[in-house]
Amino acid sequence: MVEFANLWIFLILPLPVVVFWLLPARGDRGTALIVPEGVGRGIVRQSNREGRLLGGRFVLPSLIWLLLITALSGPRQLVPVPALPTSGRDLVLALDLSGSMVRDDFSINSKTVTRLDAVKQVGAEFVRRRGGDRVGLVVFGSQAYFATPLTFDVERVAQTIEEAVIGISGRATNISDALGIALKRLSKSQAKSRVVILLSDGANNAGAANPRGVAKLAGDMGVRVHTIALGPKALSEAPDERGVVDVATLQAMSDISGGQMFRVRTSEDLVSVTGAIDRLEATASAGLAAEIFRDLWIFPAMFAGFGCLWLAWRDTL
């Protein structure tokens, strides 16, 4: 069904007629011409034919005026749009951007890449599959901050992951603040399922809070924390080596909060982890339906334009 956004515009439809009747008539500009009687009757008949043609010339301008008024009134049609499905989950991805992420000990398609490059490729694909979730992105190094707030626009979050660079948040590893700032945002969430996925390739060496204490706070809030320990070596295996991941702390954080810890040594492991997280239980719910109007003003405006072009062409003849 077609409706009009500005129906009152039709009130000015008779405006040309009103102007025509209100303007004073033009006076005679020439002198009288005396002609023989027979010739005069021929002139009268020619004048009548021209009068009828003159009356016909008002038809197209009147139609153009009607089309313009119709376009200005904003004709539109309500188009039914199905409700967008939502999972009922708010998910925050906390991504480590510390200095150790530049290590090139991963491979993708037989090509050696840095840890960050592997995470960016796999992480962006993972986020794009989260349609229905409200997803946010926290990046952390020495400090932690939200790079993208919670949003259903997963493409925007994926693009932010792909544009991430080392050093933007410092080169240390502040796991505690990363989880803390995610919990602060999720504390205002009304979602039935709230999840944090924290990926790190190092050990907490910045911030005043203890990661286990922040994980306990998450458990008390009902927020599950899934941790991803990224790197070929664990801190317990090489305690004196730099750039090794603290698997024990990440395991404890997930256990305390009711989540899971995933060990990632290769890019294949990283892909498997994202598949496992994809299968997390979701709370299904109906999405919010939207009322979208399809504007139709372009059609009368287009025909009015064609009419104006025809008038201009005719006047040149």
Side-chain angles (χ1 to χ4, degrees):
M1 180 178 178
V2 178
E3 61 180 71
F4 298 92
N6 305 304
L7 193 59
W8 60 270
I9 290 290
F10 284 103
L11 294 176
I12 65 174
L13 186 61
L15 181 62
V17 178
V18 174
V19 172
F20 177 81
W21 286 106
L22 291 181
L23 288 178
R26 292 184 301 177
D28 293 335
R29 297 182 180 179
T31 58
L33 176 63
I34 301 175
V35 297
E37 181 179 353
V39 177
R41 287 197 296 269
I43 293 176
V44 170
R45 288 195 296 270
Q46 179 68 21
S47 177
N48 290 336
R49 285 196 297 269
E50 290 180 354
R52 289 194 296 270
L53 291 174
L54 184 62
R57 294 186 64 174
F58 284 105
V59 174
L60 184 55
S62 299
L63 180 59
I64 292 174
W65 175 252
L66 176 61
L67 290 171
L68 289 175
I69 291 298
T70 303
L72 289 173
S73 68
R76 59 188 183 179
Q77 186 177 25
L78 186 63
V79 179
V81 177
L84 297 175
T86 60
S87 68
R89 179 195 295 116
D90 278 356
L91 186 151
V92 176
L93 178 63
L95 180 61
D96 189 346
L97 293 183
S98 61
S100 57
M101 291 290 286
V102 299
R103 291 176 176 258
D104 53 353
D105 48 10
F106 275 70
S107 65
I108 296 179
N109 298 327
S110 302
K111 180 181 178 181
T112 301
V113 297
T114 65
R115 298 177 181 181
L116 178 61
D117 287 336
V119 170
K120 286 165 68 172
Q121 179 173 328
V122 178
E125 293 176 359
F126 165 73
V127 169
R128 288 189 173 99
R129 295 196 302 268
R130 306 311 302 177
D133 286 349
R134 207 162 62 121
V135 182
L137 175 66
V138 170
V139 296
F140 67 96
S142 304
Q143 296 84 32
Y145 68 91
F146 260 92
T148 307
L150 288 165
T151 176
F152 286 109
D153 188 358
V154 294
E155 180 62 30
R156 175 188 172 193
V157 181
Q159 291 176 357
T160 304
I161 293 175
E162 293 171 338
E163 296 168 358
V165 294
I166 300 296
I168 193 172
S169 54
R171 303 184 70 87
T173 305
N174 194 343
I175 295 175
S176 303
D177 283 4
L179 180 56
I181 195 172
L183 294 179
K184 184 177 181 180
R185 186 67 59 91
L186 288 174
S187 66
K188 303 175 183 179
S189 169
Q190 301 297 319
K192 295 182 179 180
S193 177
R194 296 174 295 172
V195 177
V196 175
I197 301 174
L198 189 147
L199 182 148
S200 178
D201 73 332
N204 187 72
N205 55 19
N210 185 291
R212 289 177 172 83
V214 183
K216 184 178 184 306
L217 175 62
D220 294 340
M221 292 173 55
V223 178
R224 291 179 297 161
V225 180
H226 301 286
T227 57
I228 301 176
L230 182 72
K233 294 183 180 181
L235 181 62
S236 58
E237 301 168 351
D240 299 326
E241 188 173 335
R242 299 182 61 183
V244 293
V245 59
D246 189 355
V247 176
T249 297
L250 295 177
Q251 180 71 68
M253 292 175 67
S254 61
D255 291 342
I256 292 171
S257 64
Q260 299 181 43
M261 195 278 290
F262 300 93
R263 186 73 174 92
V264 173
R265 295 179 175 85
T266 65
S267 57
E268 289 76 15
D269 291 341
L270 189 57
V271 173
S272 299
V273 166
T274 59
I277 296 176
D278 273 336
R279 295 188 292 271
L280 287 172
E281 183 179 355
T283 304
S285 62
L288 297 176
E291 292 185 351
I292 298 179
F293 287 99
R294 178 191 177 197
D295 291 326
L296 304 176
W297 63 267
I298 185 65
F299 299 106
M302 180 176 60
F303 285 114
F306 288 151
C308 291
L309 291 175
W310 168 259
L311 285 179
W313 176 79
R314 189 182 65 181
D315 290 342
T316 60
L317 297 179

